[in-house]
Amino acid sequence: MNDQMLLSKSRAFGSLSSSISTARRNTMAQAILSVPRSDRKIVVNTGLFINNEFVKSVDSQDLIQAINPATEDVLCSVSAASAKDIDVAVSAARKAFQTTWGKNVTGFERSKLINRLADLIERDQQELAELESLNNGKPVRIARDYDIGDTIQCLRYYAGWADKIVGQLIEVDNKTKVAFTRHDPIGVCGQIIPWNYPIGMWGWKVGPALATGCTIVMKPSEITPLTALKLSELVKEAGFPPGVVNTVPSLGHIGGAALAVHSDVDKVAFTGSTVTGRKIMESAAKSNLKKVSLELGGKSPHLIFESADLEQAANWAALGIFYNTGQDCTAGSRLYVQESIYDKFMTILMQKAKELVIADGFDENAAGGPVVSKTQFDRVWGYISSGISDGAKVVLGGEKRPAKGYWVDATIFTDIKPDMKIVREEIFGPVLAVGTFKTEQDAVNLANDTTYGLGAGLHSNDANQCMRVSSALEAGTVWINQYNLLNNNVPFGGKKQSGIGRELGSYALEEYTSVKAVHWNFGEKLDWPF
Amino acid sequence: MSQIFSYEFDTPSFKGKTSFNTGLYIDGQFVEGAEKQTHDVINPTNGKVTTKICVGTGKDIDLAVKAAQKAFDTKWGLNTPGSVRGKLLNKLADLMERDAKELAAIESLDNGKTFSWSSSIDIPGAIATIRYYAGWADKNHGQTLETDENKLAYTRHEPIGVVGQIIPWNFPLLMMSWKIGPALATGNTIVLKPSEFTPLTALRMIPLISEAGFPPGVVNIVNGYGHIAGQAISEHMGIEKVAFTGSTVVGRKIMEAAAKSNLKKVTLELGGKSPNVIFDDADLEQAVNWSSHGIFWNHGQACCAGSRIFVQSKIYDQFLEKFTAKAKSLKVGDPFATDSYQGPQVSEIQFNRIMSYIDSGKKDGATVHLGGEQHGTEGYFIQPTIFTNVKPEMKIVKEEIFGPVGVVIKFEDEDDVVRQANDTTYGLAAAVFSQDINKALRVAHKLKAGTAWVNCANTLNPQVPFGGYKQSGIGRELGEYALANYTNVKAVHVNIGQKM
């Protein structure tokens, strides 16, 4: 008994010391973060995750600081990947694609691993939520129940697709020829994800890529790299072969640019700003014509018609703009209310907006946290100032808190004009511009007067109007009598300058597959020349 | 006023007249174009001017986009049910069928391909494509998605809007049908730019489009140069999608212009250097016939031409002998002669380009096994050419020649040939010849190409998708797949009971 215990103890020590020495050899520091209002710690590996190991940069000492936006404190520093590190990660992904993943593994096996990953995320849901909250600022409760809850479902949804990637069998000539299509995995995919839903966007990207058999070089946002590193541990634990998922925190203009221009990356998927989206598409055009999908910005309209349930419409409108502190590409940032109900509706909306609690993510009453970074803080406040100087009326918020942290409280502008910056440009903060309309046609015209086309919402109790207006709105997602809720099986993406391609649903599978048509001759004889 | 081009064919294979307007077709009217520029259309058989046509500039593209947007907003798009769009497309196909011989003759005059090919492949293929997409017009379905009983979610596959389409000169009318078929079936309106080298069949289609009953502005055809009219389409803020078939170099420029302007959606069908793989257990006669068809069809001016012919060592000599005999038997000559198999290359530029590739092959030390010279002294005719003793780094092995020039390469085994075949930045097509079903499938699956032929080559069907892996393109044409290139998916989430 004692021997047994000793043996197992020495084994434990043995493996521990060997992992320490490996860690020393490869770098690799770990950061230990304290969970606020508890005595728990979260250990984060701060290296680059390549080939299922956390490693140092091959040629760079650069670090990225992860900052808690509620306190402005530095949480820890992580390695910043250089262009050479991207090369290393791409090679790892290519090798995995050719040997242990891609067409070398059955859909059934891929499905099992993705489900296992979802189980592990579920096991660690609380810890991941705390880490997400520390780095992004969003409330732990929301990160846990929504961001991560949805991610688990998203992975399970795509796990279900992994063994249902089907081509077509196409009738050509029943006596001599048949054709079929295979939907092959594209290969090595670069995925560049944003900071507003670090885990959520990770799930949207890796789910369909892994289900179809692609391998991944993932670049999380430099502002929120921590949860992607934590998820990388779970990727390994779930049993994915080395090189299938590689995680390379880096600055956009270094690691992101290197991925976009890389000749051995077959596809790049990006979620972020329209400005960066353009650069990525240009890099793809100039390099190897890699396939591109882009989920970009929005300035989404939200229409309240006079027949709507005003109480409910106000709730959804508030959710539409204030959820995630407005840091949402589909944020319903332009609210247009029918004149006949404007005063009544605004009274309700103001009351709802005032009830919003924006506070530290570890405060249980918080419905929203700070904005994510100093840059975003300055940007959002810059827009608020421009709204004021352009003559819009601030009816709520618009005042800075005299405290540390990147706080922006719910802000509502009225008396807006179509050419104001706060009406035309994406603010990405809890800042709502409210206008009015007389007729349905006015509403549609106002709504579509934008270069964006990501989301749109309308509230009406007139079924015909709901159909008419939802058809006329130029957007990839339209909500009727609700807003901002997505489902993993319903596609999401932009019209106009909000993006290219669709994520989620069966549609996303197309973004990660190359269609090969095989023409099979079993009887046609060719006389030649004829 | 734009000019009418009239021509009388008095040839062994076709006798008849044609007459059509050579202007720009915008909003249902022929116009001369803002700059009143013209372009000489050259007969590749003799280098002489066939006719002048009007060519457009950015200003004309602007007008065409306005017309297309107006048509989209008022008479087409979601204003016309799919069944009506289908009916009009079928009517267009009927009219093309009525005038098929005339269209084929114009194609041969303009492009130089033989009348027997244009009348048996190009025009019937174009008609079949239009009919195929006519059938899709009222079957453009979205999905209804189960979420929960408080919510209904569904998708609409809406037409994108005004689409720009830039087509090449190698299969002028066929490529036009690949482009306009799915675009019109899904309800888009079109600004089409044919190649300046082969603008004539597109012009001859205009009266048919009008007669079929498409409202003005639905199809606008603006002839012009790539760097002017093509560029204007690619960077236009009012065009939400651009589809292009042509070279990889130009494809890049189009994608860049889209990225820099309004992030229009892009589909590209680009170049290729497609491998044609013959194993020693293949039906040799048939493999020879298909391989010849693979490289010499359309004078090698096919993006999926099987220009790298890999032959297993055991049958290499035998194959080469038979393949050479086939190539020698090709009659190069006037496209309208009844016994011609191969006409001239399309233009002087292409002729010079191909001849310079042949020179580079010679300089690099490859053996000219057959041909390698101009055919005759007039026009842009080139002898069917076979190179042997090539090395992987030679330009004639790496780059797309787009002419009747094939390289024959020996290989040892399956792994060897898969490696060699995939050693290219292109990925458009590939062909495998073997009687071993396991091997044929294995290799077809391993080849990185959007189209893989087994025991055939260079044969396409409207219902089977076509497009490139790697640097051969983005997106798929033909088949059901092409519909996705012309639709925007809108997800509609309807709350039917959830309280917030």
Side-chain angles (χ1 to χ4, degrees), chain A residues 338-376:
Chain A
Q338 199 153 20
E339 279 181 0
S340 51
I341 50 151
Y342 178 77
D343 293 336
K344 196 172 162 194
F345 177 81
M346 285 305 287
T347 308
I348 306 172
L349 178 66
M350 289 289 287
Q351 179 201 327
K352 303 282 184 189
K354 283 176 191 162
E355 287 169 19
L356 177 74
V357 179
I358 289 186
D360 187 289
F362 286 82
D363 181 334
E364 285 187 3
N365 298 315
V371 297
V372 76
S373 68
K374 179 72 166 61
T375 307
Q376 284 305 120

Side-chain angles (χ1 to χ4, degrees), chain A residues 94 98 103 167-168 170-172 177 179-184 274 277-278 281-282 284-292 294 296 309 312 315-316 319 467 469-482 485-487 489-491 493-497 499-500 502 506-507 510 514-521 524-530, chain B residues 117 143 145-147 151 153-160 237 240 248 252 255-256 258-266 268 270 283 286 289-290 292-293 296 326 329-330 341 437 440-441 444-447 449-456 459-461 463-465 468-471 473-474 476 480-481 488-495 498-500:
Chain A
R94 174 63 60 196
Q98 286 169 344
K103 293 194 246 174
Q168 298 180 337
I170 301 165
E171 181 200 306
V172 178
K177 275 184 76 178
F180 60 91
T181 57
R182 290 165 53 92
H183 294 195
D184 284 343
T274 297
R278 280 182 206 289
M281 187 166 166
E282 259 187 79
K286 286 178 176 161
S287 57
N288 64 340
L289 287 166
K290 55 178 68 62
K291 290 24 167 186
V292 175
L294 304 173
L296 309 174
D309 175 336
Q312 276 296 304
N315 283 351
W316 291 108
L319 179 88
M467 272 326 251
V469 175
S470 66
S471 300
L473 289 170
E474 292 170 356
T477 296
V478 176
W479 286 282
I480 299 178
N481 294 327
Q482 61 167 214
L485 295 195
L486 295 172
N487 303 77
N489 53 349
V490 184
K495 206 176 144 67
K496 300 200 272 188
Q497 296 185 39
I500 293 180
R502 290 291 176 271
S506 59
Y507 298 86
E510 294 165 24
S514 287
V515 175
K516 176 187 276 184
V518 182
H519 296 247
W520 190 286
N521 175 11
E524 184 190 358
K525 298 291 175 202
L526 180 69
D527 291 328
W528 199 89
F530 65 87
Chain B
W117 281 110
Q143 300 177 337
L145 301 141
E146 181 200 306
T147 52
K151 185 172 186 176
Y154 61 89
T155 56
R156 287 160 56 90
H157 294 194
E158 297 179 350
I160 289 183
M237 297 300 284
E240 286 200 45
T248 296
R252 281 183 206 288
M255 189 166 166
E256 260 188 77
K260 285 180 177 159
S261 57
N262 63 341
L263 286 164
K264 54 178 68 63
K265 289 37 172 176
V266 176
L268 304 173
L270 308 174
D283 173 337
Q286 279 296 303
N289 286 357
W290 285 109
S292 307
H293 179 67
F296 296 124
K326 281 287 175 188
S329 72
L330 285 181
Y341 173 80
I437 189 169
L441 261 182
H445 292 180
K446 281 181 187 162
L447 292 171
T451 293
W453 288 289
V454 177
N455 294 327
C456 53
T459 160
L460 297 171
N461 307 80
Q463 66 271 44
V464 186
Y469 275 40
K470 302 201 270 185
Q471 296 186 39
I474 293 181
R476 290 292 176 273
E480 186 184 354
Y481 296 86
N488 264 325
V489 175
K490 177 186 276 181
V492 185
H493 298 246
V494 190
N495 182 1
Q498 183 186 0
K499 296 294 175 196
M500 177 68 186

Side-chain angles (χ1 to χ4, degrees), chain B residues 177-408:
Chain B
S177 74
W178 286 22
K179 293 281 183 293
I180 69 171
L184 293 174
T186 49
N188 296 279
T189 55
I190 296 170
V191 177
L192 178 92
K193 190 195 91 62
S195 165
E196 63 268 33
F197 294 104
T198 55
L200 299 185
T201 40
L203 290 169
R204 181 60 184 87
M205 282 290 282
I206 292 167
L208 305 186
I209 288 166
S210 173
E211 186 181 348
F214 288 92
V218 171
V219 180
N220 303 276
I221 298 180
V222 181
N223 275 305
Y225 300 109
H227 65 282
I228 299 173
Q231 179 73 19
I233 287 173
S234 318
E235 62 192 21
H236 204 286
M237 297 300 284
I239 292 179
E240 286 200 45
K241 191 242 158 67
V242 60
F244 169 73
T245 299
S247 73
T248 296
V249 175
V250 176
R252 281 183 206 288
K253 286 190 191 158
I254 286 172
M255 189 166 166
E256 260 188 77
K260 285 180 177 159
S261 57
N262 63 341
L263 286 164
K264 54 178 68 63
K265 289 37 172 176
V266 176
T267 47
L268 304 173
E269 300 288 348
L270 308 174
K273 190 76 187 176
S274 298
N276 192 74
V277 178
I278 299 130
F279 285 100
D280 56 18
D281 60 357
D283 173 337
L284 196 62
E285 295 290 337
Q286 279 296 303
V288 165
N289 286 357
W290 285 109
S291 302
S292 307
H293 179 67
I295 181 60
F296 296 124
W297 177 48
N298 209 45
H299 327 163
Q301 302 169 139
C303 39
C304 51
S307 50
R308 293 184 297 143
I309 300 157
F310 294 98
V311 186
Q312 201 157 16
S313 51
K314 202 168 120 191
I315 54 158
Y316 178 85
D317 292 337
Q318 211 185 345
F319 175 87
L320 188 60
E321 186 190 323
K322 287 178 186 287
F323 181 60
T324 310
K326 281 287 175 188
K328 272 187 187 157
S329 72
L330 285 181
K331 176 86 178 13
V332 181
D334 186 280
F336 289 96
T338 50
D339 59 348
S340 283
Y341 173 80
Q342 179 179 316
Q345 307 305 128
V346 74
S347 67
E348 190 178 0
I349 296 173
Q350 283 304 313
F351 174 84
N352 290 336
R353 193 181 147 85
I354 296 162
M355 291 311 293
S356 84
Y357 272 114
I358 291 174
D359 285 345
S360 96
K362 291 173 182 169
K363 276 192 200 118
D364 288 348
T367 304
V368 183
H369 182 79
L370 183 75
E373 305 295 338
Q374 179 177 8
H375 172 92
T377 54
E378 189 190 49
Y380 313 131
F381 295 90
I382 294 179
Q383 296 172 350
T385 298
I386 301 171
F387 276 104
T388 55
N389 295 315
V390 297
K391 295 209 167 61
E393 67 277 10
M394 288 179 180
K395 271 174 75 176
I396 55 167
V397 179
K398 295 200 91 66
E399 298 180 17
E400 184 173 45
I401 298 173
F402 228 67
V405 183
V407 298
V408 182

